[in-house]
Short mmCIF file of all heavy atoms in Angstrom, two decimals:
data_model
loop_
_atom_site.label_atom_id
_atom_site.label_comp_id
_atom_site.label_asym_id
_atom_site.label_seq_id
_atom_site.Cartn_x
_atom_site.Cartn_y
_atom_site.Cartn_z
N GLN A 9 179.42 71.20 185.42
CA GLN A 9 179.62 69.80 185.75
C GLN A 9 180.79 69.22 184.92
O GLN A 9 181.01 69.60 183.78
CB GLN A 9 178.34 68.98 185.46
CG GLN A 9 177.15 69.47 186.26
CD GLN A 9 175.85 68.79 185.88
OE1 GLN A 9 175.60 68.51 184.73
NE2 GLN A 9 175.03 68.52 186.86
N CYS A 112 179.81 80.24 174.56
CA CYS A 112 181.16 80.63 175.00
C CYS A 112 181.94 79.47 175.63
O CYS A 112 183.18 79.57 175.75
CB CYS A 112 181.09 81.81 175.96
SG CYS A 112 180.31 81.49 177.55
N LYS A 231 175.11 78.44 210.25
CA LYS A 231 173.73 78.16 209.92
C LYS A 231 173.06 79.21 209.05
O LYS A 231 172.28 78.89 208.19
CB LYS A 231 172.93 78.01 211.24
CG LYS A 231 173.40 76.85 212.13
CD LYS A 231 172.60 76.74 213.39
CE LYS A 231 173.08 75.58 214.27
NZ LYS A 231 172.28 75.48 215.53
N GLY A 263 213.70 83.95 184.37
CA GLY A 263 213.80 82.67 183.65
C GLY A 263 212.46 82.04 183.40
O GLY A 263 211.40 82.72 183.35
N LEU A 479 211.48 57.76 202.62
CA LEU A 479 212.64 58.64 202.69
C LEU A 479 213.51 58.54 201.43
O LEU A 479 213.89 59.55 200.83
CB LEU A 479 213.45 58.30 203.92
CG LEU A 479 214.75 59.09 204.16
CD1 LEU A 479 214.44 60.57 204.32
CD2 LEU A 479 215.48 58.56 205.37
#
Side-chain angles (χ1 to χ4, degrees):
Q9 300 173 323
C112 66
K231 298 180 180 179
L479 178 61

